[in-house]
Amino acid sequence: MPTIRLIAVLNHLGPQARFALAEALDRVAPGHDIDSAALFEQFVRELDNISPLWQRVPENMVMPD
Protein backbone atom coordinates (compact mmCIF):
# COMPACT_ATOMS: atom_id res chain seq x y z
CA MET A 1 0.00 0.00 0.00
CA PRO A 2 1.27 3.49 -0.77
CA THR A 3 1.84 6.00 1.99
CA ILE A 4 0.95 9.68 2.07
CA ARG A 5 1.67 12.58 4.37
CA LEU A 6 -1.91 13.49 5.19
CA ILE A 7 -1.06 16.85 6.74
CA ALA A 8 1.04 17.78 3.71
CA VAL A 9 -1.86 16.86 1.41
CA LEU A 10 -4.28 18.98 3.45
CA ASN A 11 -1.87 21.91 3.41
CA HIS A 12 -1.36 21.49 -0.33
CA LEU A 13 -5.12 21.60 -0.81
CA GLY A 14 -5.32 24.53 1.60
CA PRO A 15 -7.39 27.02 -0.42
CA GLN A 16 -9.88 24.41 -1.63
CA ALA A 17 -10.09 22.74 1.77
CA ARG A 18 -10.58 26.07 3.56
CA PHE A 19 -13.32 27.04 1.12
CA ALA A 20 -15.08 23.68 1.55
CA LEU A 21 -14.83 23.95 5.34
CA ALA A 22 -16.23 27.49 5.26
CA GLU A 23 -19.13 26.35 3.07
CA ALA A 24 -19.86 23.40 5.37
CA LEU A 25 -19.69 25.65 8.42
CA ASP A 26 -22.14 28.12 6.83
CA ARG A 27 -24.57 25.30 6.08
CA VAL A 28 -24.33 23.63 9.49
CA ALA A 29 -24.21 26.79 11.59
CA PRO A 30 -25.67 29.70 9.62
CA GLY A 31 -24.80 33.04 11.17
CA HIS A 32 -21.86 31.52 13.07
CA ASP A 33 -19.13 33.67 14.54
CA ILE A 34 -16.26 31.30 13.72
CA ASP A 35 -13.21 32.14 11.64
CA SER A 36 -13.15 29.29 9.11
CA ALA A 37 -9.46 29.83 8.29
CA ALA A 38 -8.55 29.55 11.99
CA LEU A 39 -10.80 26.49 12.30
CA PHE A 40 -9.03 24.81 9.38
CA GLU A 41 -5.59 25.57 10.82
CA GLN A 42 -6.61 24.18 14.22
CA PHE A 43 -8.16 21.11 12.58
CA VAL A 44 -4.88 20.40 10.78
CA ARG A 45 -2.93 20.87 14.03
CA GLU A 46 -5.25 18.53 15.94
CA LEU A 47 -5.08 15.92 13.20
CA ASP A 48 -1.31 16.22 13.17
CA ASN A 49 -1.27 15.58 16.94
CA ILE A 50 -3.31 12.39 16.77
CA SER A 51 -2.27 10.77 13.51
CA PRO A 52 1.02 9.29 12.37
CA LEU A 53 3.10 11.42 10.00
CA TRP A 54 2.67 8.89 7.20
CA GLN A 55 -0.66 7.21 6.47
CA ARG A 56 -1.09 4.03 4.47
CA VAL A 57 -3.81 4.25 1.84
CA PRO A 58 -5.26 1.67 -0.56
CA GLU A 59 -3.82 1.58 -4.08
CA ASN A 60 -7.11 2.81 -5.57
CA MET A 61 -6.72 6.10 -3.69
CA VAL A 62 -3.50 7.03 -5.44
CA MET A 63 -2.91 7.49 -9.16
CA PRO A 64 0.65 7.49 -10.49
CA ASP A 65 1.80 10.44 -12.61
Side-chain angles (χ1 to χ4, degrees):
M1 285 204 316
T3 56
I4 62 167
R5 289 184 62 194
L6 181 58
I7 301 305
V9 170
L10 286 173
N11 285 325
H12 176 75
L13 297 174
Q16 298 97 327
R18 282 185 188 92
F19 178 77
L21 181 60
E23 290 295 308
L25 190 54
D26 288 342
R27 289 175 192 255
V28 171
H32 63 82
D33 187 23
I34 299 171
D35 179 348
S36 59
L39 178 60
F40 177 78
E41 294 302 324
Q42 188 61 40
F43 170 73
V44 170
R45 275 191 230 102
E46 296 296 330
L47 192 57
D48 192 29
N49 288 336
I50 65 169
S51 64
L53 179 60
W54 292 94
Q55 297 283 327
R56 301 192 107 193
V57 295
E59 292 284 337
N60 65 347
M61 297 180 113
V62 179
M63 182 169 43
D65 287 338

Coordinates of all heavy atoms in Angstrom, one line a residue:
M1 N 0.8 -1.2 0.0 CA 0.0 0.0 0.0 C 0.9 1.2 0.0 O 1.9 1.3 0.7 CB -0.9 0.0 1.2 CG -2.1 -0.9 1.1 SD -3.6 -0.6 2.1 CE -3.1 -0.2 3.7
P2 N 0.5 2.3 -0.8 CA 1.3 3.5 -0.8 C 1.1 4.3 0.5 O 0.1 4.0 1.3 CB 0.7 4.3 -1.9 CG -0.5 3.6 -2.4 CD -0.6 2.3 -1.8
T3 N 2.0 5.2 0.8 CA 1.8 6.0 2.0 C 1.8 7.5 1.6 O 2.3 7.8 0.5 CB 3.0 5.8 3.0 OG1 4.2 6.0 2.3 CG2 3.0 4.4 3.5
I4 N 1.0 8.2 2.3 CA 0.9 9.7 2.1 C 1.2 10.4 3.4 O 1.0 9.9 4.5 CB -0.4 10.1 1.5 CG1 -1.5 9.8 2.5 CG2 -0.7 9.4 0.1 CD1 -2.9 10.4 2.2
R5 N 1.6 11.7 3.2 CA 1.7 12.6 4.4 C 0.4 13.4 4.4 O 0.2 14.3 3.7 CB 2.9 13.5 4.2 CG 4.2 12.8 4.4 CD 5.4 13.7 4.4 NE 5.3 14.6 5.5 CZ 6.0 15.7 5.6 NH1 6.8 16.0 4.7 NH2 5.8 16.5 6.7
L6 N -0.6 12.9 5.2 CA -1.9 13.5 5.2 C -1.9 15.0 5.5 O -2.6 15.8 4.8 CB -2.8 12.8 6.2 CG -4.2 13.2 6.3 CD1 -4.9 13.1 5.0 CD2 -4.9 12.5 7.4
I7 N -1.1 15.4 6.4 CA -1.1 16.9 6.7 C -0.5 17.6 5.6 O -1.0 18.7 5.2 CB -0.2 17.1 8.0 CG1 -0.8 16.3 9.2 CG2 -0.1 18.6 8.3 CD1 -2.3 16.6 9.5
A8 N 0.5 17.1 4.9 CA 1.0 17.8 3.7 C 0.0 17.9 2.6 O -0.1 18.9 1.9 CB 2.3 17.1 3.2
V9 N -0.8 16.8 2.4 CA -1.9 16.9 1.4 C -2.9 17.9 1.8 O -3.3 18.7 0.9 CB -2.5 15.5 1.3 CG1 -3.8 15.6 0.4 CG2 -1.5 14.5 0.7
L10 N -3.3 18.0 3.0 CA -4.3 19.0 3.5 C -3.7 20.4 3.3 O -4.4 21.3 2.8 CB -4.7 18.8 4.9 CG -5.6 17.6 5.2 CD1 -5.8 17.4 6.7 CD2 -6.9 17.8 4.5
N11 N -2.5 20.6 3.6 CA -1.9 21.9 3.4 C -1.8 22.3 1.9 O -1.9 23.4 1.5 CB -0.5 22.0 4.1 CG -0.7 22.1 5.6 OD1 -1.6 22.8 6.1 ND2 0.3 21.5 6.3
H12 N -1.4 21.3 1.1 CA -1.4 21.5 -0.3 C -2.7 21.9 -0.9 O -2.8 22.7 -1.8 CB -0.9 20.2 -1.0 CG -0.8 20.3 -2.5 ND1 0.1 21.0 -3.2 CD2 -1.7 19.8 -3.5 CE1 -0.1 21.0 -4.5 NE2 -1.2 20.2 -4.7
L13 N -3.8 21.3 -0.4 CA -5.1 21.6 -0.8 C -5.7 22.8 0.0 O -6.9 23.0 -0.1 CB -6.0 20.4 -0.6 CG -5.6 19.2 -1.5 CD1 -6.5 18.0 -1.1 CD2 -5.8 19.5 -3.0
G14 N -4.9 23.5 0.7 CA -5.3 24.5 1.6 C -6.5 25.4 1.1 O -7.5 25.5 1.8
P15 N -6.3 26.1 0.0 CA -7.4 27.0 -0.4 C -8.7 26.3 -0.7 O -9.8 26.7 -0.2 CB -6.8 27.6 -1.7 CG -5.4 27.5 -1.6 CD -5.1 26.3 -0.8
Q16 N -8.6 25.2 -1.4 CA -9.9 24.4 -1.6 C -10.5 23.8 -0.3 O -11.7 23.9 -0.1 CB -9.6 23.3 -2.6 CG -9.2 23.7 -4.0 CD -7.6 23.6 -4.1 OE1 -6.9 23.8 -3.1 NE2 -7.2 23.3 -5.3
A17 N -9.6 23.3 0.5 CA -10.1 22.7 1.8 C -10.7 23.8 2.7 O -11.7 23.6 3.3 CB -8.9 22.0 2.5
R18 N -10.0 25.0 2.7 CA -10.6 26.1 3.6 C -11.9 26.5 3.0 O -12.9 26.8 3.8 CB -9.6 27.2 3.6 CG -8.4 27.0 4.5 CD -7.6 28.3 4.5 NE -6.4 28.0 5.3 CZ -5.2 27.6 4.7 NH1 -5.1 27.5 3.4 NH2 -4.2 27.4 5.5
F19 N -12.1 26.6 1.7 CA -13.3 27.0 1.1 C -14.4 26.0 1.4 O -15.5 26.4 1.8 CB -13.2 27.2 -0.4 CG -14.5 27.6 -1.1 CD1 -14.9 28.9 -1.0 CD2 -15.2 26.6 -1.7 CE1 -16.1 29.2 -1.6 CE2 -16.4 27.0 -2.4 CZ -16.9 28.3 -2.3
A20 N -14.1 24.7 1.3 CA -15.1 23.7 1.6 C -15.5 23.7 3.0 O -16.7 23.5 3.4 CB -14.5 22.3 1.2
L21 N -14.5 23.9 3.9 CA -14.8 23.9 5.3 C -15.7 25.2 5.6 O -16.7 25.0 6.4 CB -13.6 24.0 6.2 CG -13.8 24.0 7.7 CD1 -14.5 22.8 8.2 CD2 -12.4 24.1 8.4
A22 N -15.4 26.3 5.0 CA -16.2 27.5 5.3 C -17.7 27.3 4.8 O -18.6 27.7 5.4 CB -15.6 28.7 4.6
E23 N -17.8 26.6 3.6 CA -19.1 26.4 3.1 C -19.9 25.4 4.0 O -21.1 25.6 4.3 CB -19.0 25.7 1.7 CG -18.6 26.7 0.6 CD -19.6 27.8 0.4 OE1 -20.8 27.5 0.2 OE2 -19.2 29.0 0.5
A24 N -19.2 24.4 4.5 CA -19.9 23.4 5.4 C -20.3 24.1 6.7 O -21.4 23.9 7.2 CB -18.9 22.2 5.7
L25 N -19.4 24.9 7.2 CA -19.7 25.7 8.4 C -20.9 26.6 8.2 O -21.8 26.6 9.1 CB -18.5 26.5 8.8 CG -18.4 27.1 10.2 CD1 -18.7 26.1 11.3 CD2 -17.1 27.8 10.4
D26 N -21.0 27.3 7.1 CA -22.1 28.1 6.8 C -23.4 27.3 6.7 O -24.5 27.8 7.2 CB -21.9 28.9 5.5 CG -20.9 30.0 5.6 OD1 -20.6 30.4 6.8 OD2 -20.4 30.4 4.6
R27 N -23.4 26.1 6.2 CA -24.6 25.3 6.1 C -25.0 24.7 7.4 O -26.2 24.6 7.7 CB -24.4 24.2 5.1 CG -24.3 24.7 3.6 CD -24.0 23.6 2.7 NE -23.6 24.1 1.4 CZ -24.4 24.1 0.3 NH1 -25.6 23.6 0.4 NH2 -24.0 24.6 -0.8
V28 N -24.0 24.3 8.2 CA -24.3 23.6 9.5 C -24.7 24.6 10.6 O -25.5 24.4 11.4 CB -23.1 22.8 9.9 CG1 -23.3 22.2 11.3 CG2 -22.9 21.6 9.0
A29 N -24.0 25.8 10.5 CA -24.2 26.8 11.6 C -24.4 28.2 11.0 O -23.5 29.0 11.1 CB -23.0 26.8 12.6
P30 N -25.5 28.4 10.3 CA -25.7 29.7 9.6 C -25.6 30.8 10.7 O -26.0 30.7 11.8 CB -27.1 29.6 9.0 CG -27.5 28.2 9.1 CD -26.6 27.5 10.1
G31 N -24.9 31.9 10.3 CA -24.8 33.0 11.2 C -23.7 32.8 12.2 O -23.7 33.6 13.2
H32 N -22.9 31.8 12.1 CA -21.9 31.5 13.1 C -20.9 32.7 13.2 O -20.8 33.6 12.4 CB -21.1 30.3 12.7 CG -20.4 30.4 11.4 ND1 -19.1 31.0 11.3 CD2 -20.7 30.1 10.1 CE1 -18.7 31.0 10.0 NE2 -19.7 30.5 9.3
D33 N -20.2 32.7 14.3 CA -19.1 33.7 14.5 C -17.8 32.9 14.7 O -17.1 33.1 15.7 CB -19.5 34.5 15.8 CG -18.5 35.6 16.0 OD1 -17.9 36.1 15.0 OD2 -18.4 36.1 17.2
I34 N -17.5 32.1 13.7 CA -16.3 31.3 13.7 C -15.4 31.6 12.5 O -15.9 31.7 11.4 CB -16.6 29.8 13.7 CG1 -17.5 29.4 14.9 CG2 -15.4 28.9 13.6 CD1 -18.0 28.0 14.9
D35 N -14.1 31.9 12.7 CA -13.2 32.1 11.6 C -12.9 30.8 11.0 O -12.2 30.0 11.6 CB -12.0 32.8 12.2 CG -10.9 33.1 11.2 OD1 -11.0 32.7 10.0 OD2 -10.0 33.9 11.5
S36 N -13.3 30.6 9.8 CA -13.2 29.3 9.1 C -11.7 29.0 8.8 O -11.3 27.9 8.8 CB -14.0 29.2 7.8 OG -13.7 30.2 6.9
A37 N -10.9 30.0 8.5 CA -9.5 29.8 8.3 C -8.8 29.4 9.6 O -8.0 28.4 9.6 CB -8.8 31.1 7.8
A38 N -9.1 30.0 10.7 CA -8.5 29.6 12.0 C -9.0 28.1 12.3 O -8.2 27.3 12.9 CB -8.9 30.5 13.1
L39 N -10.3 27.8 12.0 CA -10.8 26.5 12.3 C -10.0 25.5 11.5 O -9.6 24.4 12.0 CB -12.3 26.4 12.0 CG -13.0 25.1 12.2 CD1 -12.9 24.6 13.6 CD2 -14.4 25.1 11.7
F40 N -9.8 25.7 10.2 CA -9.0 24.8 9.4 C -7.6 24.6 9.9 O -7.2 23.5 10.0 CB -9.0 25.3 7.9 CG -8.1 24.4 7.0 CD1 -8.7 23.3 6.6 CD2 -6.8 24.8 6.7 CE1 -7.9 22.4 5.7 CE2 -6.1 24.0 5.9 CZ -6.6 22.8 5.4
E41 N -6.9 25.7 10.3 CA -5.6 25.6 10.8 C -5.6 24.7 12.1 O -4.7 23.9 12.3 CB -5.0 27.0 11.1 CG -4.8 27.8 9.8 CD -3.8 27.1 8.8 OE1 -2.9 26.4 9.2 OE2 -4.1 27.2 7.6
Q42 N -6.5 25.0 13.0 CA -6.6 24.2 14.2 C -6.9 22.7 13.9 O -6.4 21.8 14.6 CB -7.6 24.8 15.2 CG -7.6 24.2 16.6 CD -6.3 24.3 17.3 OE1 -5.6 25.4 17.2 NE2 -5.8 23.3 18.0
F43 N -7.8 22.5 13.0 CA -8.2 21.1 12.6 C -6.9 20.4 12.1 O -6.7 19.2 12.5 CB -9.2 21.1 11.5 CG -9.5 19.8 10.8 CD1 -10.1 18.8 11.5 CD2 -9.0 19.5 9.5 CE1 -10.3 17.6 10.9 CE2 -9.2 18.3 8.9 CZ -9.9 17.3 9.6
V44 N -6.1 21.0 11.3 CA -4.9 20.4 10.8 C -3.9 20.1 11.9 O -3.3 19.0 12.0 CB -4.2 21.3 9.7 CG1 -2.8 20.8 9.3 CG2 -5.1 21.3 8.4
R45 N -3.8 21.1 12.9 CA -2.9 20.9 14.0 C -3.4 19.7 14.9 O -2.6 18.9 15.3 CB -2.9 22.1 14.9 CG -1.9 23.1 14.5 CD -1.7 24.2 15.5 NE -1.8 25.5 14.8 CZ -2.8 26.3 14.8 NH1 -3.9 26.0 15.5 NH2 -2.8 27.4 14.2
E46 N -4.7 19.6 15.1 CA -5.2 18.5 15.9 C -5.0 17.2 15.2 O -4.7 16.2 15.9 CB -6.7 18.8 16.2 CG -7.0 20.0 17.1 CD -6.5 19.9 18.5 OE1 -6.3 18.8 19.0 OE2 -6.1 21.0 19.0
L47 N -5.3 17.2 14.0 CA -5.1 15.9 13.2 C -3.6 15.5 13.2 O -3.3 14.3 13.4 CB -5.6 16.1 11.8 CG -5.7 14.9 10.9 CD1 -6.6 13.9 11.5 CD2 -6.2 15.3 9.5
D48 N -2.7 16.5 13.1 CA -1.3 16.2 13.2 C -0.9 15.6 14.5 O 0.0 14.8 14.6 CB -0.5 17.5 12.9 CG 0.9 17.3 12.6 OD1 1.3 16.2 12.1 OD2 1.7 18.2 12.9
N49 N -1.6 16.1 15.6 CA -1.3 15.6 16.9 C -1.7 14.1 17.2 O -1.1 13.4 18.0 CB -1.9 16.5 18.0 CG -1.2 17.8 18.1 OD1 -0.1 18.0 17.8 ND2 -2.0 18.8 18.6
I50 N -2.8 13.7 16.5 CA -3.3 12.4 16.8 C -3.0 11.3 15.7 O -3.3 10.2 15.9 CB -4.8 12.4 17.0 CG1 -5.6 12.9 15.8 CG2 -5.2 13.3 18.2 CD1 -7.1 12.7 15.8
S51 N -2.5 11.8 14.6 CA -2.3 10.8 13.5 C -0.8 10.6 13.2 O 0.0 11.6 13.3 CB -3.0 11.2 12.2 OG -2.6 12.4 11.7
P52 N -0.4 9.5 12.7 CA 1.0 9.3 12.4 C 1.4 10.2 11.2 O 0.5 10.6 10.4 CB 1.1 7.8 11.9 CG -0.1 7.2 12.4 CD -1.2 8.3 12.6
L53 N 2.7 10.6 11.1 CA 3.1 11.4 10.0 C 2.7 10.8 8.6 O 2.3 11.5 7.8 CB 4.6 11.6 10.1 CG 5.3 12.5 9.0 CD1 4.7 13.9 9.0 CD2 6.8 12.6 9.2
W54 N 3.0 9.6 8.5 CA 2.7 8.9 7.2 C 1.5 8.0 7.4 O 1.4 7.3 8.4 CB 3.9 8.0 6.7 CG 5.0 8.9 6.4 CD1 6.1 9.3 7.2 CD2 5.3 9.5 5.1 NE1 6.9 10.1 6.5 CE2 6.5 10.3 5.2 CE3 4.6 9.6 3.9 CZ2 7.0 11.0 4.2 CZ3 5.1 10.3 2.9 CH2 6.3 11.0 3.0
Q55 N 0.5 8.0 6.4 CA -0.7 7.2 6.5 C -0.7 6.3 5.3 O -0.4 6.7 4.2 CB -1.9 8.1 6.4 CG -2.1 9.1 7.5 CD -2.6 8.4 8.7 OE1 -3.4 7.4 8.7 NE2 -2.2 8.9 9.9
R56 N -1.0 5.0 5.6 CA -1.1 4.0 4.5 C -2.5 4.2 3.9 O -3.5 4.3 4.6 CB -0.9 2.6 5.0 CG 0.5 2.5 5.6 CD 0.8 1.1 5.9 NE 1.8 0.8 4.8 CZ 2.2 -0.4 4.5 NH1 1.8 -1.4 5.0 NH2 3.1 -0.5 3.5
V57 N -2.5 4.1 2.5 CA -3.8 4.2 1.8 C -3.9 3.2 0.8 O -2.9 2.7 0.3 CB -4.0 5.6 1.2 CG1 -4.1 6.7 2.2 CG2 -2.9 5.9 0.2
P58 N -5.1 2.7 0.5 CA -5.3 1.7 -0.6 C -4.8 2.2 -1.9 O -4.8 3.4 -2.2 CB -6.8 1.4 -0.6 CG -7.3 1.9 0.7 CD -6.4 3.0 1.1
E59 N -4.3 1.3 -2.7 CA -3.8 1.6 -4.1 C -4.8 2.4 -4.9 O -4.4 3.3 -5.6 CB -3.5 0.3 -4.9 CG -2.3 -0.5 -4.3 CD -1.0 0.1 -4.7 OE1 -0.9 0.9 -5.7 OE2 0.0 -0.2 -4.0
N60 N -6.1 2.1 -4.7 CA -7.1 2.8 -5.6 C -7.3 4.3 -5.2 O -8.1 5.0 -5.8 CB -8.4 2.1 -5.6 CG -9.1 2.0 -4.2 OD1 -8.5 2.3 -3.2 ND2 -10.3 1.6 -4.2
M61 N -6.6 4.7 -4.1 CA -6.7 6.1 -3.7 C -5.6 6.9 -4.2 O -5.6 8.2 -4.0 CB -6.7 6.2 -2.2 CG -7.9 5.5 -1.5 SD -7.9 5.7 0.2 CE -9.3 6.8 0.5
V62 N -4.7 6.3 -4.9 CA -3.5 7.0 -5.4 C -3.3 6.7 -6.9 O -3.4 5.5 -7.3 CB -2.2 6.6 -4.7 CG1 -1.0 7.3 -5.2 CG2 -2.4 6.9 -3.2
M63 N -3.1 7.7 -7.7 CA -2.9 7.5 -9.2 C -1.5 8.0 -9.5 O -1.1 9.1 -9.2 CB -3.9 8.3 -10.0 CG -3.8 8.0 -11.5 SD -5.1 8.6 -12.5 CE -5.5 10.2 -11.9
P64 N -0.7 7.1 -10.1 CA 0.6 7.5 -10.5 C 0.6 8.6 -11.5 O -0.3 8.7 -12.3 CB 1.3 6.2 -11.0 CG 0.2 5.3 -11.3 CD -1.0 5.7 -10.5
D65 N 1.7 9.4 -11.6 CA 1.8 10.4 -12.6 C 1.9 9.9 -14.0 O 2.3 8.8 -14.2 CB 3.1 11.3 -12.4 CG 2.9 12.2 -11.2 OD1 1.8 12.5 -10.8 OD2 3.9 12.6 -10.6

